[in-house]
Amino acid sequence: MSATRSIETVVVGAGQAGLLMSDLLRHAGREHIVVDRRSSLGGGWQDRWDGFRLVGPNWTTTMPSFAYDGPEPDGYMPRDEVIDHWRRYARAVQAPLELETEVSRLVTRDGADAARFEVTTSGGTIAARDVIVAAGPFQRPNVPPLADGLASSILSLHSHDYRSPWTLPPGGVLLVGSGQTGVQLAEELHEAGRAVTMSLGHCGTVPRRYRTKDIFWWLREMGTRGVAVGTPLPTPDKLPSPAARFACNPQLSGHHGGHDVNLRRMAADGIRLVGRLEGVDGTRARFRADLNENLRFAETFFETRFRADCDTFIERVGEALPAQEEDDAFSLEVPEVPELDLAAEGIGTVIWTSGYRPAFGWIELPVLDEFGLPIQKDGRTAVEGLSFIGTPWLVDMGSANLIGLVRDAEVIAATW
């Protein structure tokens, strides 16, 4: 066992959040390293499927010291370009990286020196004054327990492990979940000629562009300027329950130049919509009779949650944007489907687009709540020197998104 070494700050995670913190630490003259369990840079983007594209515009990847410099700031990069972008960022900010270094334990330490933490890694033990956890929002794929009831003759996989339509067995596909990943995979599989059934959850939809601006422009502006004019993004204390932090991201796509999602149009195009999956017994799947309720929730989500705040924000900051051109409502009655025999329907694959859960079990300190998320304020915990960045709902709904990352990082850096 190698001797313990001392380093002022350890950043755990070399995705965009960890690299951003490294850049800020470097400019502050702070000694630090960035450790990551992976053997290559690119963070969780490397786990996305082959045809993945950014849901936010390319300009959202601009960071201090490293602006997006491609030809399409308003386009939506494919996966491999996203990965290359962050690798170039790491080189540009001269991040002191230690890859293939997995952290297995974080505890406080006793001693007369300034090091407050002991970080146990696969490369040895580190004594650190500060630790910044930048492990990202996509840690442990969440597959609901009812998946255990599925017959072994049907392939069951989380979207984390999906790569392309051509890697799946023949037959139709049941997608469980209708957030951003669910609707994008439904379109991709349908375009590849697969028969697609999508089980809808309680997920909202937002317009790709509102009053000529991409929805991510609104999220960024309201996340940075909204507090001052009384139109902030939703904060954790405004959620109906702590569990709501795991709610799906609103339906949206960066494919085909970026577009809105209309579930009824998808149904009209041949994608079968069903209610929330309630149970599985072998090849038989049962669905709640909540399909039309979920459709109405999706269709009214932006109107009831965000539109008024967007209009108020733009009025109060004094920017002139044209009124929204309203599309004609697309009307289609979609019948409820109480049950399907997956084998009889020719469905050979079930893909769970059911999100992720945190995996912070290596942190042996009283800073995690009952859901495994950090107990914190603006990224800082009650344990002095321990901070989080890039985790959902640190400040508001933008915290795990590129548009909120710089703002959250600068809040942490302001305490140095």
Side-chain angles (χ1 to χ4, degrees), residues 176-180 199-205 240 244 246-251 263 274-277 288 290-301 304-305 353:
V176 182
S178 53
Q180 283 179 10
S199 171
L200 268 60
H202 220 49
C203 299
T205 190
F246 296 114
C248 50
N249 290 322
Q251 297 153 355
L263 294 170
V274 297
R276 188 186 296 270
L277 183 63
R288 292 183 192 173
D290 61 359
L291 171 61
N292 285 286
E293 174 192 338
N294 292 339
L295 285 169
R296 286 190 294 273
F297 177 83
E299 293 161 345
T300 60
F301 177 79
T304 58
R305 305 287 183 94
T353 67

Coordinates of all heavy atoms in Angstrom, one line a residue, residues 176-180 199-205 240 244 246-251 263 274-277 288 290-301 304-305 353:
V176 N -40.5 2.0 -22.1 CA -41.2 2.4 -20.8 C -40.6 3.7 -20.4 O -39.5 3.8 -19.9 CB -40.9 1.3 -19.8 CG1 -41.7 1.6 -18.5 CG2 -41.4 -0.1 -20.3
G177 N -41.4 4.7 -20.5 CA -41.0 6.1 -20.1 C -41.1 7.0 -21.3 O -40.8 6.6 -22.5
S178 N -41.5 8.3 -21.0 CA -41.7 9.2 -22.1 C -41.1 10.6 -21.9 O -41.6 11.6 -22.3 CB -43.2 9.4 -22.4 OG -43.9 9.7 -21.1
G179 N -39.9 10.5 -21.2 CA -39.2 11.8 -21.1 C -38.3 12.0 -22.3 O -38.6 11.5 -23.4
Q180 N -37.3 12.8 -22.2 CA -36.5 13.1 -23.4 C -35.9 11.9 -24.1 O -36.0 11.8 -25.3 CB -35.4 14.1 -23.0 CG -35.8 15.5 -22.8 CD -34.7 16.4 -22.4 OE1 -33.5 16.1 -22.4 NE2 -35.0 17.6 -22.0
S199 N -44.9 3.4 -23.4 CA -45.7 3.6 -22.2 C -45.4 4.9 -21.6 O -44.3 5.2 -21.2 CB -45.3 2.4 -21.2 OG -45.8 2.6 -20.0
L200 N -46.4 5.8 -21.5 CA -46.3 7.2 -21.1 C -46.3 7.3 -19.6 O -47.1 6.7 -18.9 CB -47.4 8.0 -21.7 CG -47.1 8.7 -23.0 CD1 -46.8 7.7 -24.1 CD2 -48.3 9.6 -23.4
G201 N -45.4 8.1 -19.1 CA -45.4 8.5 -17.7 C -45.9 9.9 -17.6 O -46.5 10.5 -18.6
H202 N -45.7 10.6 -16.5 CA -46.2 11.9 -16.2 C -45.1 12.9 -16.6 O -44.4 13.5 -15.8 CB -46.6 12.1 -14.8 CG -47.8 12.9 -14.5 ND1 -49.0 12.6 -15.2 CD2 -48.1 13.9 -13.7 CE1 -49.9 13.4 -14.8 NE2 -49.4 14.2 -13.8
C203 N -44.9 13.1 -17.9 CA -43.8 13.9 -18.5 C -44.4 15.1 -19.3 O -45.3 14.9 -20.1 CB -42.9 13.1 -19.3 SG -42.0 11.8 -18.5
G204 N -43.9 16.3 -19.1 CA -44.4 17.4 -19.8 C -43.6 17.6 -21.1 O -42.6 17.0 -21.3
T205 N -44.2 18.5 -21.9 CA -43.5 18.8 -23.2 C -43.3 20.4 -23.2 O -44.1 21.1 -22.6 CB -44.2 18.4 -24.4 OG1 -43.4 18.6 -25.6 CG2 -45.5 19.1 -24.6
P240 N -43.3 19.6 -5.3 CA -44.4 19.0 -4.5 C -43.9 18.0 -3.4 O -44.5 17.8 -2.4 CB -45.3 18.3 -5.5 CG -44.4 18.1 -6.7 CD -43.5 19.3 -6.7
A244 N -39.8 14.4 -6.2 CA -40.0 15.1 -7.5 C -38.7 15.5 -8.2 O -38.7 15.8 -9.4 CB -40.9 16.3 -7.4
F246 N -36.6 13.6 -9.1 CA -36.3 12.5 -10.1 C -37.3 12.6 -11.3 O -37.3 11.6 -12.1 CB -36.4 11.2 -9.4 CG -35.3 11.0 -8.4 CD1 -35.6 10.8 -7.1 CD2 -33.9 10.9 -8.7 CE1 -34.6 10.6 -6.1 CE2 -33.0 10.8 -7.8 CZ -33.3 10.6 -6.5
A247 N -38.1 13.6 -11.4 CA -39.1 13.7 -12.5 C -38.4 13.7 -13.8 O -37.3 14.2 -13.9 CB -40.0 14.9 -12.3
C248 N -39.0 13.2 -14.8 CA -38.4 13.2 -16.2 C -38.2 14.6 -16.7 O -38.9 15.5 -16.4 CB -39.3 12.4 -17.1 SG -41.0 12.9 -17.1
N249 N -37.2 14.7 -17.6 CA -37.0 16.0 -18.3 C -38.0 16.2 -19.3 O -38.5 15.2 -20.0 CB -35.6 16.0 -18.9 CG -34.5 16.0 -17.9 OD1 -34.6 16.7 -16.9 ND2 -33.4 15.3 -18.2
P250 N -38.5 17.4 -19.6 CA -39.5 17.6 -20.5 C -39.2 17.1 -21.9 O -38.0 17.1 -22.3 CB -39.7 19.2 -20.5 CG -39.2 19.6 -19.2 CD -38.1 18.6 -18.9
Q251 N -40.2 16.7 -22.6 CA -40.0 16.1 -24.0 C -39.5 17.1 -25.0 O -40.1 18.2 -25.1 CB -41.4 15.5 -24.4 CG -41.9 14.4 -23.6 CD -43.4 14.2 -23.6 OE1 -44.1 15.1 -24.2 NE2 -43.9 13.2 -22.9
L263 N -47.0 14.1 -29.0 CA -47.3 12.7 -28.8 C -48.4 12.3 -29.7 O -48.4 11.1 -30.2 CB -47.6 12.5 -27.3 CG -46.4 12.7 -26.4 CD1 -46.9 12.6 -24.9 CD2 -45.4 11.6 -26.6
V274 N -49.5 3.9 -24.9 CA -50.2 3.2 -23.8 C -50.0 4.0 -22.5 O -49.1 4.8 -22.4 CB -49.8 1.7 -23.7 CG1 -50.2 1.0 -25.0 CG2 -48.4 1.6 -23.4
G275 N -50.7 3.7 -21.5 CA -50.6 4.3 -20.2 C -49.3 3.8 -19.5 O -48.6 3.0 -20.0
R276 N -49.2 4.2 -18.2 CA -48.1 3.8 -17.4 C -48.1 2.3 -17.2 O -49.1 1.7 -16.9 CB -48.1 4.5 -16.1 CG -46.8 4.3 -15.2 CD -47.0 5.0 -13.9 NE -47.2 6.4 -14.0 CZ -46.1 7.3 -14.0 NH1 -44.9 6.8 -13.9 NH2 -46.4 8.6 -14.0
L277 N -46.9 1.7 -17.3 CA -46.8 0.2 -17.1 C -47.0 -0.1 -15.6 O -46.4 0.5 -14.8 CB -45.4 -0.2 -17.5 CG -45.1 -1.7 -17.4 CD1 -46.1 -2.5 -18.4 CD2 -43.7 -2.1 -17.7
R288 N -51.9 1.2 -16.8 CA -52.9 2.0 -16.2 C -53.8 2.7 -17.2 O -53.3 3.0 -18.3 CB -52.3 3.0 -15.3 CG -51.6 2.5 -14.1 CD -51.1 3.6 -13.2 NE -50.1 3.2 -12.2 CZ -49.4 4.0 -11.4 NH1 -49.5 5.3 -11.6 NH2 -48.6 3.5 -10.5
D290 N -54.4 5.6 -17.7 CA -54.1 7.0 -17.5 C -53.5 7.6 -18.7 O -52.9 8.7 -18.7 CB -53.2 7.2 -16.3 CG -51.8 6.5 -16.4 OD1 -51.6 5.8 -17.5 OD2 -51.0 6.6 -15.5
L291 N -53.6 7.0 -19.9 CA -53.0 7.5 -21.1 C -53.5 8.9 -21.4 O -52.6 9.8 -21.7 CB -53.3 6.5 -22.3 CG -52.9 7.1 -23.7 CD1 -51.4 7.3 -23.7 CD2 -53.3 6.1 -24.7
N292 N -54.8 9.1 -21.4 CA -55.2 10.4 -21.8 C -55.0 11.5 -20.8 O -54.7 12.7 -21.1 CB -56.7 10.3 -22.2 CG -57.0 9.7 -23.5 OD1 -56.7 10.3 -24.5 ND2 -57.4 8.4 -23.5
E293 N -54.9 11.1 -19.5 CA -54.5 12.0 -18.5 C -53.0 12.4 -18.7 O -52.7 13.6 -18.6 CB -54.6 11.3 -17.1 CG -54.1 12.1 -15.9 CD -54.0 11.3 -14.7 OE1 -54.7 10.3 -14.6 OE2 -53.2 11.7 -13.8
N294 N -52.2 11.5 -19.1 CA -50.8 11.8 -19.3 C -50.6 12.7 -20.5 O -49.7 13.5 -20.6 CB -50.0 10.5 -19.4 CG -49.9 9.8 -18.0 OD1 -50.1 10.4 -17.0 ND2 -49.6 8.5 -18.1
L295 N -51.4 12.4 -21.6 CA -51.3 13.2 -22.8 C -51.7 14.7 -22.4 O -51.1 15.6 -22.9 CB -52.3 12.7 -23.8 CG -51.8 11.4 -24.6 CD1 -52.9 10.8 -25.4 CD2 -50.6 11.8 -25.5
R296 N -52.8 14.9 -21.7 CA -53.2 16.2 -21.3 C -52.2 16.9 -20.4 O -51.9 18.1 -20.6 CB -54.6 16.2 -20.6 CG -55.7 15.9 -21.5 CD -57.0 16.1 -20.7 NE -57.2 15.1 -19.6 CZ -57.8 13.9 -19.8 NH1 -58.2 13.5 -21.0 NH2 -57.9 13.1 -18.7
F297 N -51.5 16.2 -19.5 CA -50.5 16.8 -18.7 C -49.3 17.2 -19.6 O -48.8 18.4 -19.4 CB -49.9 15.7 -17.7 CG -48.8 16.2 -16.9 CD1 -49.1 17.0 -15.7 CD2 -47.5 16.0 -17.2 CE1 -48.0 17.5 -15.0 CE2 -46.4 16.5 -16.4 CZ -46.7 17.2 -15.3
A298 N -48.9 16.4 -20.5 CA -47.8 16.8 -21.4 C -48.2 18.1 -22.2 O -47.3 19.0 -22.3 CB -47.5 15.7 -22.4
E299 N -49.4 18.1 -22.7 CA -49.8 19.2 -23.6 C -50.0 20.5 -22.9 O -49.9 21.6 -23.5 CB -51.1 18.8 -24.3 CG -50.8 17.7 -25.3 CD -52.1 16.9 -25.7 OE1 -53.1 17.1 -25.1 OE2 -52.0 16.2 -26.7
T300 N -50.3 20.5 -21.6 CA -50.5 21.7 -20.8 C -49.4 22.1 -19.9 O -49.4 23.2 -19.3 CB -51.8 21.5 -20.0 OG1 -51.6 20.5 -19.0 CG2 -53.0 21.3 -20.8
F301 N -48.3 21.3 -19.9 CA -47.2 21.5 -19.0 C -46.6 22.9 -19.2 O -46.4 23.6 -18.2 CB -46.2 20.4 -19.3 CG -44.9 20.5 -18.4 CD1 -44.9 20.1 -17.1 CD2 -43.7 21.1 -19.0 CE1 -43.8 20.2 -16.3 CE2 -42.6 21.2 -18.2 CZ -42.6 20.7 -16.9
T304 N -49.0 25.8 -18.2 CA -49.3 26.0 -16.8 C -48.1 26.3 -15.9 O -48.2 26.9 -14.9 CB -50.1 24.8 -16.3 OG1 -49.2 23.6 -16.5 CG2 -51.4 24.6 -17.0
R305 N -46.9 25.8 -16.4 CA -45.7 25.9 -15.5 C -44.8 27.1 -15.9 O -44.1 27.6 -15.0 CB -44.9 24.6 -15.6 CG -45.7 23.3 -15.2 CD -46.0 23.2 -13.7 NE -46.7 22.0 -13.4 CZ -46.1 20.9 -13.0 NH1 -44.8 20.8 -12.9 NH2 -46.8 19.8 -12.7
T353 N -36.6 3.5 -20.2 CA -36.1 4.9 -20.2 C -36.5 5.5 -18.9 O -37.1 6.6 -18.9 CB -36.5 5.6 -21.4 OG1 -37.9 5.9 -21.3 CG2 -36.2 4.9 -22.7

